[in-house]
Amino acid sequence: MMDWNYLADKLFPHITQTPAQVEARYPKRQLPEGAKVTRMGPSPTGFMHLGNLYGALVDERLAHQSGGVFYLRIEDTDKKREVEGGVQTILDAFSAFGLPFDEGVTNEGETGAYGPYRQSQRAAIYQTFVKALMARGLAYPCFCTEQELAAAHEQQEQNKENFGYYGKYAVWRDRPLEDIEQALSQGLPYVVRFRSEGSIENKFRHEDLVKGKMELTENDQDVVILKSDGIPTYHFAHVVDDHLMGTTIVVRGEEWLATLPVHLQLFRAMGWKPPKYAHTAQLMKIDETTGGKRKLSKRKDPELALSFYAQEGYPAPCVLEYLMTLLNSNFEEWRRANPDAPMQDFPFSTKKMSGSGALFDVDKLRDVSKNVISRMTAGAVYDAVAAWSAQNDPAFHALFTRDPDKSRAFLAIGRGGKKPRKDIALWRDVKPYMDFLFDELFQPDYTLPERVSAADAKAILSDFAASFGENDTPDEFFQKMQAIAQAHGYAAQTKDYKQNPDAYKGAVGDVSMVIRIAVAGRQNAPDLQSVMHILGRETVLARLDAYAQALAAQ
């Protein structure tokens, strides 16, 4: 008979604390009834992707709308994948999107009573529980080499059997103590495996918060729970941490569903109540070449990286709003009914999450972004564009911030009210939207309106220059346009031209378009009188004259 207590003490002589002593350091959280405790557990691999944010938004909403706790745990047990600065990348990404953690790793260290919040600093905690499992005969050392495991894999492939370490392939599962002690005396490296009592013949029922009711096959694999360096695998580490830290809901991608039976089995073996699981659907997109759906790819899709949104100038709230449209099918309807309410007021629910793939659409993101930006104040837009351009377009930043009042006044045109302008989807759009405001960027397209001759255009420019008042109201400006239109054979009212097109050269809109082209250098620009007021008399007259000279030179 194997003396499991002896083996546990032999392998873990340095572990003197008991599971009960560890648990005493992590008391049950005192929270209101129904409060959820969620966590974000990224690995410091140097790449933060949209899926991380997608899941984190679910975590944050579930916790905070229930009066619970949302914490950040760094899952850095895989040292091969860790990159320098990886933790900072994680902190920067979540900070940029304003997701407020209540506990966990921060730039200043750690906050919260349930740490350490870096798994690499919790080795003794995990080993305490592994030792306890081994003392009960539920874990054992395995000295298999990579070559031996590869050979077993090859044999399983030939026999068309399930891959893994189980049954007759679990060669160290029932080895006598003498074999283990001999291997230890030779200094052979080993891992610790969990002794599974499951069978693939057995099914069990489980209810996922997103996928709903499902039937799963029991796990029969003796999975590795502690690697040869004494650090646990994800399987075991997250089970221990979620128990000790009081996690009530684990939100993660559906790619983890396959290992759910392992995790539930580990919770049961430890005698702990498992959290609820919410497996989110994968983010998909329409492939431009095939027309079919596929997963977002790190290699093919720049929009998968969270850094993409800051570089392009998508405001963080817009990205979060868009993700919420993917997460809850009723969010758009709620937003239409509550256009000015903060997103946090929306009653988020896992019941409204799709169990199948969520389709990511950049065009839809732009639409959502336009709506969000249109509801921002000119001052908020100015501040955001100033900050973005300082990082991403220093030359434009210098022009944009040269006269802040001028830039703010331009951004205020058409803002507010029931039908605000929606010209800006991302901060990168601001430069082409307002470039004509700056002489350094002014590159006019002097193409004439279809119904206006060069001779008429010159006369229109001359008449307007003589009557221009930079402080005119929009109504006064329009009256001047009507007078100039009538003087040159154009209808003062558009409806008159439509009713009798043969009686006129064109309509008042054609006349004002000549002025728009002269001042803005293009046919599409915000309210012209407001623009001219911002530009000032000297600049407007200079631009009218420049257009007139260009027409004379034709």
Side-chain angles (χ1 to χ4, degrees):
M1 287 285 290
M2 173 71 78
D3 186 340
W4 290 105
N5 276 309
Y6 168 78
L7 184 60
D9 284 336
K10 187 173 182 66
L11 293 183
F12 298 99
H14 57 293
I15 297 297
T16 55
Q17 61 185 346
T18 65
Q21 287 171 324
V22 173
E23 296 223 39
R25 302 208 309 266
Y26 294 88
K28 184 174 167 57
R29 291 178 181 273
Q30 300 303 306
L31 293 169
E33 184 74 27
K36 313 284 195 303
V37 179
T38 62
R39 48 79 170 169
M40 190 65 207
S43 300
T45 59
F47 181 72
M48 289 297 288
H49 58 80
L50 200 61
N52 295 129
L53 185 63
Y54 187 68
L57 184 55
V58 179
D59 283 316
E60 189 274 331
R61 287 290 76 218
L62 289 175
H64 288 155
Q65 73 179 14
S66 67
V69 174
F70 173 44
Y71 69 92
L72 175 64
R73 184 170 75 217
I74 301 297
E75 300 195 344
D76 55 351
T77 58
D78 189 346
K79 291 298 174 186
K80 290 178 192 164
R81 295 178 64 227
E82 187 172 341
V83 302
E84 191 176 344
V87 173
Q88 192 62 49
T89 299
I90 292 167
L91 294 173
D92 290 348
F94 287 124
S95 172
F97 287 95
L99 285 181
F101 291 106
D102 304 302
E103 295 174 9
V105 177
T106 72
N107 281 319
E108 290 74 41
E110 291 193 352
T111 177
Y114 291 80
Y117 294 91
R118 294 174 191 247
Q119 289 185 331
S120 60
Q121 296 173 9
R122 297 171 65 83
I125 294 172
Y126 305 126
Q127 289 173 20
T128 300
F129 290 105
V130 172
K131 182 177 182 178
L133 277 177
M134 191 173 285
R136 292 165 54 204
L138 293 176
Y140 62 91
C142 168
F143 296 86
C144 281
T145 64
E146 291 291 329
Q147 291 80 2
E148 288 168 333
L149 293 172
H153 185 94
E154 198 173 315
Q155 192 178 339
Q156 288 165 346
E157 193 167 30
Q158 286 173 2
N159 297 346
K160 296 187 175 171
E161 297 171 303
N162 286 339
F163 295 128
Y165 197 91
Y166 64 93
K168 66 181 181 182
Y169 296 105
V171 294
W172 281 92
R173 180 181 170 106
D174 295 313
R175 291 286 267 272
L177 184 59
E178 298 77 36
D179 288 4
I180 293 171
E181 291 200 297
Q182 184 181 356
L184 287 171
S185 68
Q186 293 172 355
L188 298 179
Y190 64 90
V191 298
V192 177
R193 291 184 181 273
F194 172 68
R195 180 187 288 270
S196 172
E197 299 299 331
S199 165
I200 57 169
E201 302 301 319
N202 298 336
K203 306 275 188 188
F204 67 95
R205 290 199 178 112
H206 172 76
E207 184 156 5
D208 187 83
L209 291 178
V210 175
K211 302 289 184 183
K213 292 178 180 173
M214 53 178 59
E215 194 174 67
L216 300 171
T217 303
E218 276 187 356
N219 169 61
D220 69 340
Q221 303 273 337
D222 286 5
V223 297
V224 175
I225 55 175
L226 201 68
K227 295 178 285 189
S228 57
D229 59 2
I231 297 294
T233 56
Y234 166 79
H235 300 309
F236 193 66
H238 99 274
V239 166
V240 171
D241 291 344
D242 284 336
H243 168 68
L244 294 178
M245 296 178 180
T247 308
T248 62
I249 297 178
V250 171
V251 179
R252 60 186 186 183
E254 64 186 0
E255 65 272 17
W256 288 104
L257 261 177
T259 54
L260 182 60
V262 175
H263 304 150
L264 294 174
Q265 191 179 48
L266 286 169
F267 272 107
R268 194 162 56 248
M270 300 301 295
W272 298 334
K273 179 185 176 184
K276 289 182 164 54
Y277 283 86
H279 287 88
T280 58
Q282 290 182 320
L283 288 169
M284 314 286 282
K285 75 176 291 187
I286 299 295
D287 191 288
E288 291 177 2
T289 51
T290 66
K293 291 182 185 178
R294 63 167 174 79
K295 283 194 301 182
L296 282 172
S297 152
K298 183 177 176 180
R299 187 170 53 83
K300 295 180 185 174
D301 305 310
E303 66 269 29
L304 183 61
L306 284 187
S307 55
F308 167 85
Y309 299 93
Q311 287 161 5
E312 290 296 301
Y314 282 98
C318 303
V319 180
L320 295 177
E321 286 247 347
Y322 174 64
L323 289 180
M324 191 59 81
T325 69
L326 297 181
L327 286 166
N328 264 196
S329 53
N330 58 329
F331 176 72
E332 288 183 84
E333 184 184 344
W334 176 87
R335 174 51 81 204
R336 281 193 292 272
N338 302 275
D340 300 316
M343 190 179 79
Q344 288 75 8
D345 288 359
F346 170 68
F348 176 79
S349 169
T350 53
K351 291 187 175 71
K352 293 288 186 181
M353 289 174 67
S354 168
S356 57
L359 197 59
F360 181 82
D361 180 350
V362 170
D363 291 336
K364 181 71 181 292
L365 168 61
R366 286 183 66 93
D367 285 343
V368 170
S369 196
K370 282 180 180 179
N371 285 327
V372 173
I373 290 173
S374 74
R375 295 195 298 270
M376 293 170 69
T377 65
V381 173
Y382 174 84
D383 291 344
V385 175
W388 177 83
S389 59
Q391 291 288 318
N392 297 279
D393 191 345
F396 177 62
H397 175 80
L399 296 173
F400 181 75
T401 58
R402 183 169 62 194
D403 186 341
D405 290 342
K406 183 176 173 180
S407 292
R408 283 194 200 97
F410 182 83
L411 292 168
I413 299 173
R415 191 164 289 281
K418 288 190 175 177
K419 288 194 173 179
R421 291 185 67 93
K422 296 179 181 179
D423 304 273
I424 305 167
L426 54 161
W427 304 139
R428 192 179 289 282
D429 292 346
V430 173
K431 181 178 178 178
Y433 174 54
M434 64 185 297
D435 56 0
F436 66 86
L437 218 58
F438 309 102
D439 287 339
E440 295 90 336
L441 300 178
F442 187 55
Q443 291 186 310
D445 174 1
Y446 283 151
T447 304
L448 279 166
E450 192 179 336
R451 293 190 288 262
V452 181
S453 67
D456 279 354
K458 283 191 286 184
I460 290 166
L461 291 166
S462 175
D463 287 359
F464 182 67
S467 64
F468 170 59
E470 63 183 302
N471 295 317
D472 282 351
T473 64
D475 282 345
E476 289 168 337
F477 168 71
F478 186 63
Q479 286 165 10
K480 288 179 179 178
M481 290 295 99
Q482 287 181 310
I484 294 171
Q486 283 181 313
H488 297 284
Y490 293 81
Q493 300 287 345
T494 304
K495 64 178 182 182
D496 292 341
Y497 174 73
K498 285 183 176 175
Q499 287 171 355
N500 192 4
D502 293 335
Y504 304 97
K505 294 178 181 177
V508 64
D510 298 308
V511 173
S512 60
M513 185 60 73
V514 173
I515 308 303
R516 190 179 299 275
I517 290 168
V519 173
R522 56 190 187 223
Q523 296 192 11
N524 185 22
D527 177 69
L528 196 53
Q529 183 56 39
S530 301
V531 167
M532 292 189 292
H533 179 74
I534 294 165
L535 283 172
R537 182 174 185 81
E538 191 178 322
T539 299
V540 171
L541 291 177
R543 290 191 179 181
L544 295 172
D545 184 54
Y547 192 16
Q549 289 187 37
L551 289 169
Q554 286 181 1

